[in-house]
Amino acid sequence: MELRQLEYFVTVAEEANFTRAAEKVHISQSGVSAQVKALEHELGAELFDRSGRVARLTEAGLAALPYAQAALDAAADLRQAVDEVKGLVRGHVTVGMVTGCEVTPLFAGIAGFHGEHPGIEIELTESDSADLVAGVRTGAIDIALVGVAGEPPEHLVAHIIVSEGLVALFPEGEASDRICLADLMAYPIVTLPPGTGIRAVLDEACVAARLIPDVALVASAPGTVVELASRGMGVAVLSESMATAFPHLKAVPIDDVRIPALLALVWRKRTSVALAALLPHLQRAFAVDNHAPVDNQETLSAELDNVSA
């Protein structure tokens, strides 16, 4: 008894016709008929009544059908189990990270995963958040750490790691304790490039307020933004936690920017075997190291809890 014989038997039973069954399994009608007859010969009973134009199951066929289907299901489960093991031995996972944002728990999670599954190839790619989200949507990237404004991307699983407001960084004595967005427009601004969460928040807030910021320079790393601002190129605009790494500058909250800047992990609902194995390592890394530095400048303000596929 062969699996293909059971497959053809079940297909003929579903289609009630040998010709349509043959078309469905992409072989000739004579091939289907021969395999079903071979199965009947082995079982010692006819499975179909062939007297009419419709192939009807006999009593023996009705009795055999659920067992044939169960055997096919078991074979499919067997293939899936083996494929999953192969995926953990020779799989591939692509991790995206927003340019210039080095989150040490992410690296810790990847390292722990590699130690447990050394055969899985890990690819780390950097880009702006918009491109990373697009890559996750298409499946080119399995999981990505992105910066976004206000809400996580729609139709993706997301876990927010940081949610915070924007601040402007001034030399001590050159600014009050608060500033509004309109007053900030009087200064040239140095900040992160488009495609980052912080820049998205700044741009959306300015559009909503009908303001046009004078963005003098952009840099992909927060440290570079601050260095340029410290040299008189403009006022640095970063997130609250990033500002804590630069105590020589005064972080002034921008009062009327209500949109939070988010740092989040995003992935699709349907995960690969390799990604399903990586997610618990990221969970542990962020939960244990929830005060780890981001590019030695940013402090995580939330744990990554309940990460699951």
Side-chain angles (χ1 to χ4, degrees):
M1 187 181 302
E2 299 178 5
L3 283 175
R4 64 175 177 173
Q5 293 173 343
L6 298 179
E7 179 188 0
Y8 299 162
F9 163 54
V10 170
T11 305
V12 173
E14 291 174 344
E15 298 296 326
N17 184 278
F18 279 85
T19 301
R20 289 198 298 270
E23 293 173 352
K24 189 171 183 179
V25 297
H26 305 293
I27 68 167
S28 66
Q29 179 181 340
S30 60
V32 171
S33 296
Q35 291 299 323
V36 172
K37 283 183 178 180
L39 177 62
E40 290 175 325
H41 182 268
E42 184 171 349
L43 294 175
E46 290 189 351
L47 301 175
F48 293 101
D49 177 357
R50 297 171 172 82
S51 61
R53 300 180 67 179
V54 176
R56 299 185 185 278
L57 287 166
T58 62
E59 289 188 11
L62 288 169
L65 182 60
Y67 293 100
Q69 186 62 67
L72 293 174
D73 291 342
D77 290 342
L78 173 62
R79 291 191 190 96
Q80 181 179 351
V82 173
D83 287 345
E84 288 179 355
V85 172
K86 287 166 58 181
L88 289 177
V89 174
R90 298 190 297 273
H92 177 94
V93 63
T94 300
V95 180
M97 182 181 71
V98 64
T99 302
C101 186
E102 298 182 0
V103 181
T104 53
L106 177 67
F107 301 147
I110 291 173
F113 169 71
H114 177 68
E116 189 170 311
H117 304 288
I120 295 182
E121 180 184 2
I122 304 169
E123 179 182 354
L124 186 62
T125 181
E126 292 184 82
S127 187
D128 66 49
S129 294
D131 286 345
L132 292 175
V133 170
V136 172
R137 292 191 192 281
T138 63
I141 299 173
D142 293 291
I143 188 168
L145 181 72
V146 300
V148 293
E151 297 288 341
E154 292 183 347
H155 310 303
L156 293 177
V157 182
H159 191 95
I160 297 171
I161 297 168
V162 174
S163 176
E164 57 190 354
L166 299 190
V167 295
L169 281 75
F170 293 89
E172 284 291 345
E174 292 191 15
S176 62
D177 292 336
R178 317 290 299 188
I179 194 171
C180 68
L181 192 61
D183 290 341
L184 182 63
M185 296 300 103
Y187 300 90
I189 293 172
V190 184
T191 189
L192 300 177
T196 60
I198 290 169
R199 180 60 182 274
V201 169
L202 177 63
D203 289 346
E204 288 186 21
C206 287
V207 169
R210 298 182 179 181
L211 299 170
I212 300 177
D214 176 14
V215 179
L217 284 168
V218 299
S220 61
T224 305
V225 169
V226 171
E227 181 68 21
L228 292 168
S230 298
R231 294 178 181 272
M233 301 299 296
V235 174
V237 174
L238 295 172
S239 68
E240 294 171 356
S241 61
M242 287 179 177
T244 62
F246 309 104
H248 62 289
L249 295 178
K250 182 177 182 179
V252 180
I254 306 173
D255 280 340
D256 47 350
V257 175
R258 308 297 184 191
I259 309 167
L262 307 182
L263 185 67
L265 284 169
V266 296
W267 64 96
R268 292 186 299 170
K269 292 180 180 179
R270 294 188 64 182
T271 61
S272 66
V273 175
L275 178 57
L278 171 60
L279 286 170
H281 289 275
L282 296 177
Q283 176 188 17
R284 289 191 292 270
F286 280 105
V288 171
D289 200 9
N290 64 314
H291 293 297
V294 178
D295 193 21
N296 295 322
Q297 297 154 352
E298 182 177 349
T299 300
L300 295 180
S301 64
E303 295 181 359
L304 177 61
D305 298 322
N306 302 319
V307 175
S308 63

